[in-house]
Structures are given as structure tokens and as C-alpha cells.
């Protein structure tokens, strides 16, 4: 056999080699001083490296909060979350440890009433937008119908209409204006957007020539306007003027409202994103700070084979041989899962002050089979009988999940 | 799926955080990246979760390291961990120095060697290390041997430097 390379030596120390390979190596080590020396050096490096890595411990305790997975899951746009989701309760997130200055990440108030209020507000804006667009459409249709009559009025400064003009009896033009304002009983008030807000515009309009036919001023009950039939000329003029005014005034409002609605939707998206981003922050830390009742304890994780076997340290063949002072016993024909050390008091008859080497097997039915071994010291009484016996200075014991008959059958195969 | 993920979380969250912390030295970052790893597991549930989770976590650590370097914000965190056991100031200082030296020694290793070492420290066997890092199983022993040797050499060199300086 050629000399052992570093990788093979470390595989040996890691317990990663097959039994036949270990036997070949042991045979070689017995005759090759150089490899034996290298094995000793590898053991030093092996132990020192593991100690160094293990010395970097996570400060404090790592907690796996029970609800963390659900929270992570909820933040993701997966197929599962595309289904109707239950409402998440987003709370103020606190970052940092208790002793650090606390930084609050507040995804705004995102409770259900608050979200409902925002959604309703967005809905109102959308409805308003729809009504305004409808009004504009009706106004443009009306203007198309009034084109011939409007030709006579093109010279007049029709961009602005006085309150007096707007208060003339006119049911046709009042309709869209009222539709926009939402009420017909106070049309003078509701038509105020038709009044020019610019003083210069008012002055220009005052300097303009008076209308060709003075019309009767109406300052009485505005609701009567709706009932009274308008004069045809006045109707034509109003058709020309008022829809344009409605267009000009409402378009500006529509744009402002649409911009506001879009901004509100954008804010809503940002709030949702902020809520999602902060949802994954360590819940345990928040719970401590918020002094909320602790959640029900998480179900314990399934026990690993090491835990079931009671092994507190996995070791390789070499370390096992060092512990026992001779090669470890194994069950012929079974491949071991691993071997390790258990406390002496866990194995009846063993010296409780010294560890026991335990080789862990699993049979074809998945049952755990354990082979304990400890070097017997003078004065130590290792009970014998059944699946517990001695070989020279070595005390052996077979036990595990398998029935006693199976263990009895395995005993002759222990080498 | 939630039940499975919860089980995975209970099994692997702590080892993941510990490994990432050993790699980055940043506790908060370790927790963030571990959670990000599980977030990815939600969107793409793995068939073989343990190697998958650790491979994703190591990828995230590498990406995070690149981003940090690009932005020039690589920070060496020297924290006073508030929730560790009270060892007294001198013992705490000694522990911090020791941890710093080990992390510096780890930083001198090649990425692959370092990752193999960290995975081994989390109880991975050679098959799992090979699957996680995309190595041949036969190369794992050599990789680990080299990583251990270089780690110890780098650590001892720092120890010598410390004694010379003092």
C-alpha cells in the first residue's frame, strides 16, 4: 500500500472510510513510521482546527420563533399566498438589542380599519374621477349639438362666466354642473368654479362689451331656475359657454384628483412593501420588547439519531481506538451509521466516570442497534449474560430498538 | 407546506445562523441571511433540504460580501454582545480577541476550503459537503485537510505576531 495522503488521514479521523479501508490503513500504519507520524500530525491539526472553529460561537442564543416561517411565507408572492389570505397584523418593528438605541421601523398604521379607510378613500376618488369624465363627455356632446348657434358668440369673451350669467334659467347646462356638484338646490354655490378666480380676468370681462340683449337678472330662489323653461337664445349661449367652462374647470380638478388618487395608491404600495420587509424581523426580540404573552412553545424537533443514541460526541475509528486502548469492536456484516461517546452512567455496568464508546447501527427495518464498549479496569464489575459480555479487558453490550432475539443473533458477529 | 417548512425551520435555523455568523461575524446579518434563505425555500421548496439550505445560505453570504465590498462598507464588527454569559471584562476581552483571531485566520482560507470547514463544523458528512459545494466526495477529505492545516497555520502565525508585539 502506498503512503497515506493528508486527505485520507482526515477522512479516517472523520470516520468517513469504510471498514475494509480502515483495516488496510491500520495494517499500513503498523509498518510505516512515516505515515504514523503524519497521522499524529494530522490528529493535532484536526483537533486544533475543530477547536478553533467551535470557539466562534454565536453570541447569545439563536431562537427560532415559531411564527417566523409563517411570517416569511406571508411576505412572499407565491402561489400559496395568491389564494385568499388571512389578514396580517403588522406591528411596529423594533430593530436592535435591548441595550442598543431602538430604531423603530413603522410601516404606518396598517390595521384593518386603517386599510379599509384608505381603500374607501381610493374608491371615492375613483368614483369621482368616473363622474367627472362622464360630465366632460356629456358636455362635449352638448357642445357638438350647439355648434351652429355658437358661431354668433365667438367674439364674446366666453372663457369666463359671471355668477349672474350662470344663474340664468337654464336646465340644460345646469345638469352637468349639478351632476358634478352633487346638488341642484344651491346651484349658485356649486357653480363657483365657473367664476374666474383671477382678478385680471374679472377686469377683462368687465371691460368687455355688454351682451347684445340684456337679460333679466335673477337673484331669487335658485331652485326655480330648474323649473322655468329658458329662453332659446339664452339656452344657445349657455350651451356654448357653460360646457367649456365645465371642461376647463373640471379638467384641472380631474387631473389633481387623479394625481392624488395615484399618489394614494403609490403610498399604499409603499406601505405594503415596508410592512412586508419588516415582517421578517426577529419576532422573538419584538415580543420581548412589547411584553406580549409568549406564544405557545414550538413543537420539539424530531430527535436526531445522535440524540436517540445518547451520543454526545461523534468520533472516528482512531479516536475510538485511543479511548479503548485497542481497535474498536464492530458487528460483522453491518455498516455502522457512526460511532461516538456516551456518558458511562448511560450504560449499565460501565464505569460512570468514563465515557463508553458506542457504535450505532440500523438494521434493514430501520431499528437502532447499539454496541457499547468500555475497557474494564481492575476492580470494575462488568455484568455478563445475554447481550452483555466481556472479551479480554473489554466489556461489551448489545442493545437498542431491536428485539432481544435479534440482538442475541448479532452477538456472535461482533468482532 | 407550512408544516414542512416549520419543521425545516426548527431543524436548521439555528445551525444556519451559527454557520453564517462564523462566516460573517455579524449577528444581525446572520439572522437576516438565514431568514432570507428560508424565504427562498418557501418560493422553491427543496427536495433535499439540508444541503440546499446551506448552499443557498453560502451563496447569500457571498453575494452579500460582494455587495458590501462594492459599496465600501465592509465593517469589522466588534460588538459587546449583551446577552452572552457574564464572564467579566477581562475574560470577555480575551474571548473577543480569540474570536477575532480565529475569524481572521478563517478569512485567509480559500472560499471553498472555508465553506467545507464550516459545513463540517455543523455536522455535515462528506456526502452532504460534496452535494452542498458541488465537489466530488473523494475531494472532500483533501479539501478539509487543507482547510484545517491552513487555518491552524494562520492562527498560529497570528499568535506568534501577538507575542512578538507584546
Amino acid at each position: 500500500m502506498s503512503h497515506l495522503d493528508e486527505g485520507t488521514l482526515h477522512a479516517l479521523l472523520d470516520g468517513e472510510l469504510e471498514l475494509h479501508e480502515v483495516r488496510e490503513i491500520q495494517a499500513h500504519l503498523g509498518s510505516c513510521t512515516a505515515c504514523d507520524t503524519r497521522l499524529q500530525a494530522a490528529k493535532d491539526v484536526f483537533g486544533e482546527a475543530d477547536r478553533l472553529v467551535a470557539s466562534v460561537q454565536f453570541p447569545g442564543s439563536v431562537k427560532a420563533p415559531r411564527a417566523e416561517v409563517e411570517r416569511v411565507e406571508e411576505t412572499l408572492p407565491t402561489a400559496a399566498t395568491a389564494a385568499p389570505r388571512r389578514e396580517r397584523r403588522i406591528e411596529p418593528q423594533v430593530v436592535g438589542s435591548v441595550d442598543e438605541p431602538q430604531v423603530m421601523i413603522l410601516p404606518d398604521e396598517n390595521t384593518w380599519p386603517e386599510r379599509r379607510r384608505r381603500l374607501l378613500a381610493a374608491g371615492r376618488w375613483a368614483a369621482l374621477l368616473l363622474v367627472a369624465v362622464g360630465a366632460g363627455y356629456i358636455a362635449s356632446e352638448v357642445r357638438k349639438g350647439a355648434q351652429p348657434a355658437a358661431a354668433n358668440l365667438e367674439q364674446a369673451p366666453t372663457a369666463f362666466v359671471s355668477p349672474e350669467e350662470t344663474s340664468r334659467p337654464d336646465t340644460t347646462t345646469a345638469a352637468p354642473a349639478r351632476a358634478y356638484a352633487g346638488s341642484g338646490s344651491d346651484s349658485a354655490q356649486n357653480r363657483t368654479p365657473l367664476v374666474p378666480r383671477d382678478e385680471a380676468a374679472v377686469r377683462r370681462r368687465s371691460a368687455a362689451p355688454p351682451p347684445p340683449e340684456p337679460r333679466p337678472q335673477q337673484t331669487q330662489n335658485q331652485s326655480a331656475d330648474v323649473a322655468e323653461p329658458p329662453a332659446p337664445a339664452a339656452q344657445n349661449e349657455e350651451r356654448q359657454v357653460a360646457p367649456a367652462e365645465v371642461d376647463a374647470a373640471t379638467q384641472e380638478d380631474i387631473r389633481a384628483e387623479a394625481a392624488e388618487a395615484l399618489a394614494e395608491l403609490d403610498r399604499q404600495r409603499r406601505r405594503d412593501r415596508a410592512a412586508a420587509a419588516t415582517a421578517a424581523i426577529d419576532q422573538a426580540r419584538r415580543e420581548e420588547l412589547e411584553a406580549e404573552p409568549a406564544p405557545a412553545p414550538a413543537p420539539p424537533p424530531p430527535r436526531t439519531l445522535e440524540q436517540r443514541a445518547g451520543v454526545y460526541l461523534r468520533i472516528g475509528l482512531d479516536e475510538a481506538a485511543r479511548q479503548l486502548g485497542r481497535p474498536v469492536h464492530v458487528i460483522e456484516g453491518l455498516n455502522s451509521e457512526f460511532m461516538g461517546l456516551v456518558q458511562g452512567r448511560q450504560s449499565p455496568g460501565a464505569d460512570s466516570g468514563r465515557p463508553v464508546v458506542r457504535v450505532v447501527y440500523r438494521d434493514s427495518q430501520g431499528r437502532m442497534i447499539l454496541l457499547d464498549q468500555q475497557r474494564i479496569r481492575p476492580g470494575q464489575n462488568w455484568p455478563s449474560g445475554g447481550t452483555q459480555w466481556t472479551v479480554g479487558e473489554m466489556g461489551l453490550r448489545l442493545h437498542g430498538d431491536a428485539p432481544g432475539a435479534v440482538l442475541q443473533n448479532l452477538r456472535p458477529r461482533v468482532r | 407546506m407550512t408544516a414542512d417548512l416549520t419543521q425545516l425551520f426548527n431543524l436548521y435555523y439555528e445551525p444556519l445562523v451559527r454557520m453564517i455568523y462564523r462566516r460573517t461575524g455579524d449577528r444581525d446579518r446572520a439572522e437576516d441571511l438565514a431568514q432570507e434563505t428560508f424565504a427562498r425555500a418557501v418560493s422553491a421548496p427543496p427536495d433535499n433540504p439540508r444541503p440546499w439550505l446551506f448552499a443557498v445560505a453560502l451563496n447569500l453570504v457571498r453575494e452579500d460580501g460582494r455587495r458590501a465590498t462594492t459599496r465600501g462598507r465592509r465593517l469589522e464588527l466588534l460588538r459587546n454582545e449583551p446577552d452572552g454569559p457574564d464572564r467579566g471584562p477581562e475574560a470577555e476581552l480575551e474571548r473577543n480577541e480569540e474570536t477575532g483571531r480565529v475569524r481572521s485566520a478563517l478569512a485567509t482560507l480559500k472560499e471553498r476550503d472555508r465553506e467545507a470547514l464550516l459545513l463540517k463544523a455543523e455536522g455535515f458528512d462528506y456526502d452532504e459537503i460534496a452535494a452542498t459545494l458541488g465537489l466530488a466526495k473523494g475531494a472532500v477529505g483533501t479539501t478539509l485537510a487543507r482547510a484545517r492545516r491552513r487555518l491552524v497555520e494562520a492562527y498560529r502565525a497570528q499568535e506568534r505576531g501577538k507575542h512578538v508585539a507584546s
Side-chain angles (χ1 to χ4, degrees):
Chain A
M1 184 178 185
S2 59
H3 288 302
L4 302 170
D5 62 33
E6 197 179 22
T8 304
L9 291 174
H10 279 257
L12 174 72
L13 296 172
D14 280 323
E16 291 281 347
L17 298 180
E18 299 293 331
L19 194 58
H20 66 89
E21 295 174 303
V22 174
R23 284 182 175 157
E24 288 176 16
I25 289 171
Q26 283 179 332
H28 176 74
L29 288 172
S31 60
C32 179
T33 313
C35 283
D36 191 49
T37 305
R38 287 164 59 189
L39 176 63
Q40 295 307 316
K43 282 173 68 176
D44 291 343
V45 168
F46 180 91
E48 177 73 354
D50 282 1
R51 184 191 71 77
L52 291 175
V53 174
S55 71
V56 184
Q57 285 295 332
F58 188 84
S61 59
V62 183
K63 293 174 183 172
R66 183 179 170 221
E68 193 66 43
V69 178
E70 293 179 10
R71 298 176 65 81
V72 169
E73 200 173 22
E74 284 174 355
T75 63
L76 294 172
T78 61
T81 53
R85 298 168 52 171
R86 68 175 182 276
E87 188 58 35
R88 279 185 292 133
R89 181 170 168 233
I90 306 298
E91 294 154 341
Q93 311 281 326
V94 180
V95 180
S97 68
V98 177
D99 294 340
E100 291 170 349
Q102 295 175 1
V103 180
M104 302 289 290
I105 298 176
L106 294 170
D108 293 341
E109 292 180 17
N110 209 13
T111 58
W112 168 239
E114 179 64 17
R115 292 186 65 186
R116 186 173 59 182
R117 188 190 66 73
R118 285 199 296 270
L119 287 173
L120 286 174
R124 280 199 297 273
W125 283 116
L128 194 58
L129 192 62
L130 197 63
V131 168
V133 169
Y137 176 76
I138 291 169
S140 66
E141 288 298 311
V142 168
R143 187 167 48 185
K144 281 178 192 169
Q147 278 298 341
N152 297 329
L153 299 168
E154 282 179 358
Q155 303 299 324
T158 57
F160 301 95
V161 178
S162 70
E164 293 77 14
E165 288 167 335
T166 59
S167 64
R168 282 194 313 249
D170 188 344
T171 52
T172 311
T173 57
R178 275 198 300 279
Y180 171 68
S183 169
S185 61
D186 53 351
S187 56
Q189 260 188 331
N190 292 329
R191 292 175 193 177
T192 49
L194 303 182
V195 178
R197 296 163 190 145
D198 182 352
E199 285 186 15
V202 172
R203 284 196 297 275
R204 279 199 307 276
R205 198 172 52 76
S206 303
E213 292 181 7
R215 287 181 290 274
Q217 299 294 311
Q218 181 166 351
T219 56
Q220 300 303 317
N221 184 6
Q222 298 296 325
S223 61
D225 294 353
V226 181
E228 290 178 17
Q235 186 176 355
N236 284 344
E237 185 179 353
E238 195 65 19
R239 278 179 181 169
Q240 170 63 21
V241 174
E245 294 289 341
V246 170
D247 262 357
T250 55
Q251 284 299 325
E252 185 181 349
D253 289 342
I254 288 167
R255 277 194 292 273
E257 287 156 8
E260 176 60 29
L262 287 173
E264 174 64 24
L265 288 173
D266 195 40
R267 281 195 293 273
Q268 175 69 34
R269 278 198 295 272
R270 281 202 298 273
R271 276 191 288 266
D272 287 345
R273 278 202 295 271
T278 52
I281 293 177
D282 187 354
Q283 181 172 352
R285 201 178 299 159
R286 267 190 299 113
E287 284 172 353
E288 287 170 9
L289 292 167
E290 291 170 5
E292 283 187 347
R303 299 179 71 203
T304 63
L305 192 57
E306 284 95 334
Q307 290 170 329
R308 287 172 56 210
V311 169
Y312 69 81
L313 178 67
R314 283 175 69 151
I315 58 174
L317 275 172
D318 193 66
E319 178 61 20
R322 197 184 67 77
Q323 289 280 341
L324 298 171
R326 53 156 296 161
V328 67
H329 287 267
V330 296
I331 302 175
E332 198 172 56
L334 276 184
N335 284 328
S336 66
E337 296 287 333
F338 57 89
M339 62 184 68
L341 298 178
V342 299
Q343 293 177 332
R345 61 173 179 271
Q346 291 187 8
S347 190
D351 180 359
S352 60
R354 290 182 293 137
V356 169
V357 174
R358 178 169 285 176
V359 189
V360 182
Y361 297 90
R362 266 199 289 212
D363 66 5
S364 57
Q365 299 177 38
R367 295 175 300 200
M368 188 172 66
I369 295 169
L370 308 172
L371 175 59
D372 289 358
Q373 37 206 308
Q374 189 182 48
R375 190 170 190 172
I376 301 173
R377 285 183 174 170
Q380 182 182 350
N381 180 28
W382 186 273
S384 293
T387 56
Q388 195 158 6
W389 72 103
T390 58
V391 176
E393 292 181 331
M394 197 67 65
L396 298 166
R397 176 169 173 254
L398 263 175
H399 59 112
D401 299 336
V406 174
L407 297 174
Q408 284 282 5
N409 289 335
L410 287 174
R411 177 178 163 176
R413 290 165 57 185
V414 174
R415 298 281 185 266
Chain B
M1 180 175 147
T2 301
D4 294 342
L5 191 68
T6 304
Q7 191 179 21
L8 285 184
F9 197 85
N10 289 331
L11 277 175
Y12 299 128
Y13 179 76
E14 183 177 339
L16 269 177
V17 171
R18 188 169 50 227
M19 184 200 68
I20 300 171
Y21 174 73
R22 282 174 174 159
R23 175 68 182 80
T24 63
D26 184 340
R27 187 175 70 170
D28 294 336
R29 201 79 204 115
E31 289 177 333
D32 287 349
L33 292 177
Q35 287 169 12
E36 172 67 17
T37 302
F38 280 99
R40 296 195 179 192
V42 172
S43 54
D47 293 330
N48 192 6
R50 191 155 102 132
W52 189 94
L53 287 170
F54 279 78
V56 168
L58 288 171
N59 284 338
L60 288 174
V61 169
R62 283 194 288 270
E63 287 172 15
D64 188 60
R66 277 196 289 271
R67 281 198 299 269
T69 305
T70 304
R71 294 174 193 160
R73 62 167 178 79
R74 183 176 287 283
L75 302 175
E76 189 64 30
L77 295 174
L78 297 172
R79 287 176 163 276
N80 290 321
E81 303 299 350
D83 44 0
D86 186 11
R87 302 178 176 87
E90 289 184 2
E92 189 66 24
L93 182 64
E94 179 65 26
R95 191 182 74 90
N96 283 342
E97 287 180 352
E98 166 82 1
T99 301
R101 283 195 295 275
V102 175
R103 289 201 59 249
S104 298
L106 276 170
T108 64
L109 304 186
K110 287 181 180 174
E111 189 76 41
R112 184 58 54 85
D113 294 357
R114 179 169 48 230
E115 289 173 356
L117 203 52
L118 294 178
L119 291 174
K120 191 74 187 79
E122 291 303 328
F124 275 52
D125 61 25
Y126 281 20
D127 284 320
E128 290 175 311
I129 293 173
T132 305
L133 300 182
L135 290 172
K137 186 186 175 186
V140 174
T142 307
T143 304
L144 278 173
R146 182 174 59 237
R148 286 168 174 149
R149 177 167 41 78
R150 289 183 177 170
L151 174 69
V152 171
E153 286 171 358
Y155 179 79
R156 288 176 180 166
Q158 291 190 33
E159 286 279 280
R160 283 194 296 274
K162 175 191 165 194
H163 292 311
V164 169
S166 61

